[in-house]
């Protein structure tokens, strides 16, 4: 089999997996996106608890990472070890990590009827590597196709805070530790990140919702819960009995 044929087979397989898991008892897929210090991880965990309280089975996960192979790649990326190879190489590594994460964690969970909540996903690659890293849009699209096939989030929550506040939060969270590969970029970079996430949200309003995340975490969680209820109606979802939290 030629390399091209193998790649084609691979894409077909991914699409079939995605289509299979969309039929029947499929959970919902929610992603959190936004710049640094927007509170994604906190809000993702709070949302998971609320959904579990309804008796729904939830898989909370993150990128880069979320599966054994992807966590190894995460270390390479966030340590900055891949930075000298350029944004294109980094984009390929993020895609490789995503491929493993989708195959090993996300699709099996959705197929089992779980609600998957993922801290960062495709929009982060579009923004960090595509818009900020200037990696060719066609390459970003091709990598996306290969790594996720037809799997698209049902809802993407874009958390938005003023850059200064976000960077302050990151500094406090980090304490004495050194900033990671992306935290270390300057304020102008983070301003562009913010704008890029907002642009994506505007261009895909059916999938995305922007959440003003500068306030208290309980207020932000309330806004998120309202959007999730309106768009995905979790109260009407069938609980997965064997994983239900009492
Ligand atoms: P992480 O420690 O998970 O922090 P947070 O998500 O709270 O910012 O860092 C992940 C970093 O990786 C973050 O700076 C964004 C970056 N990233 C990309 O550049 N591209 C991607 O596709 C993903 C998923 C993340």
């Amino acid at each position: 089999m030629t390399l091209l044929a193998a790649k084609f087979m691979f894409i077909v397989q991914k699409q079939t997996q995605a289509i299979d898991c969309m039929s029947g008892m499929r959970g919902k897929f929610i992603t959190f996106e936004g710049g640094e210090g927007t509170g994604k991880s906190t809000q993702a965990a709070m949302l998971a608890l609320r959904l579990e309280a309804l008796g729904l089975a939830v898989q909370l996960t993150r990128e880069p990472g979320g599966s054994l192979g992807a966590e190894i790649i995460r270390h390479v990326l966030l340590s900055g070890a891949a930075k000298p190879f350029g944004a294109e190489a980094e984009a390929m590594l993020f895609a490789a990590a995503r491929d493993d994460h989708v195959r090993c964690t996300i699709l099996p969970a959705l197929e089992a009827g779980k609600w998957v909540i993922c801290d960062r996903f495709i929009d982060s690659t579009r923004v960090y590597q595509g818009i900020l890293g200037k990696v060719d849009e066609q390459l970003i699209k091709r990598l996306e196709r290969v790594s996720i096939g037809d799997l698209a989030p049902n809802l993407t929550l874009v958390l938005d805070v003023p850059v200064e506040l976000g960077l302050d939060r990151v500094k406090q969270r980090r304490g004495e530790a050194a900033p990671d590969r992306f935290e270390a970029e300057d304020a102008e970079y983070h301003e562009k990140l913010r704008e890029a996430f907002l642009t994506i949200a505007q261009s895909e309003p059916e999938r995305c919702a922007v959440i003003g995340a500068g306030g208290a975490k309980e207020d932000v969680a309330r806004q998120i819960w309202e959007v999730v209820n309106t768009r995905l109606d979790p109260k009407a979802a069938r609980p997965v009995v064997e994983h239900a939290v009492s």
Side-chain angles (χ1 to χ4, degrees):
M1 204 186 318
T2 65
L3 186 63
L4 197 67
K7 244 189 152 172
F8 177 73
M9 289 296 294
F10 180 73
I11 291 171
V12 168
Q13 203 184 347
K14 267 265 159 59
Q15 284 175 352
T16 313
Q17 279 178 334
I19 289 161
D20 277 348
C21 78
M22 275 175 203
S23 62
M25 220 184 52
R26 182 179 186 263
K28 299 283 184 203
F29 183 27
I30 301 172
T31 57
F32 278 81
E33 298 279 6
E36 314 287 325
T38 49
K40 296 179 306 303
S41 316
T42 305
Q43 292 300 329
M46 288 171 86
L47 177 61
L49 286 177
R50 285 193 107 149
L51 291 171
E52 282 175 348
L54 294 178
L56 297 172
V58 177
Q59 176 82 48
L60 184 58
T61 186
R62 67 166 181 189
E63 288 211 351
S67 63
L68 199 61
E71 288 291 332
I72 294 168
I73 301 174
R74 175 186 173 90
H75 177 72
V76 174
L77 282 162
L78 296 195
S79 66
K83 189 179 176 184
F85 302 106
E88 239 177 51
E90 286 183 315
M92 287 190 245
L93 284 170
F94 276 109
R98 182 160 302 133
D99 174 69
D100 193 63
H101 185 212
V102 167
R103 246 179 323 112
C104 300
T105 304
I106 298 178
L107 284 180
L110 289 172
E111 279 164 359
K114 293 186 183 177
W115 284 52
V116 176
I117 301 176
C118 189
D119 185 350
R120 294 197 185 280
F121 197 58
I122 45 170
D123 300 301
S124 285
T125 307
R126 291 177 183 179
V127 168
Y128 283 80
Q129 283 65 54
I131 298 170
L132 274 289
K134 298 192 169 44
V135 174
D136 176 58
E137 204 186 326
Q138 288 311 314
L139 176 58
I140 295 286
K141 280 192 177 144
R142 267 184 255 131
L143 289 173
E144 206 170 291
R145 192 90 188 126
V146 169
S147 59
I148 70 166
D150 277 345
L151 174 75
N154 298 101
L155 173 64
T156 295
L157 297 154
V158 175
L159 302 200
D160 181 58
V161 302
V163 166
E164 221 170 280
L165 174 61
L167 291 179
D168 257 14
R169 285 177 177 175
V170 169
K171 230 177 176 174
Q172 277 176 24
R173 183 180 65 194
R174 192 172 62 226
E176 296 299 303
D180 75 24
R181 151 80 179 88
F182 297 96
E183 288 165 6
E185 299 284 354
D186 63 20
E188 193 190 338
Y189 178 93
H190 292 282
E191 205 61 72
K192 285 185 183 154
L193 272 184
R194 184 184 184 198
E195 279 166 30
F197 277 114
L198 291 175
T199 304
I200 290 181
Q202 266 166 17
S203 69
E204 290 187 59
E206 322 75 40
R207 173 174 69 89
C208 303
V210 176
I211 306 287
K217 65 181 178 193
E218 292 75 16
D219 291 338
V220 179
R222 217 168 293 130
Q223 287 182 64
I224 289 173
W225 190 234
E226 215 175 290
V227 173
V228 170
N229 270 300
T230 311
R231 301 226 190 165
L232 301 179
D233 198 8
K235 287 179 186 132
R238 212 160 11 131
V240 178
V241 176
E242 64 268 32
H243 296 293
V245 172
S246 58

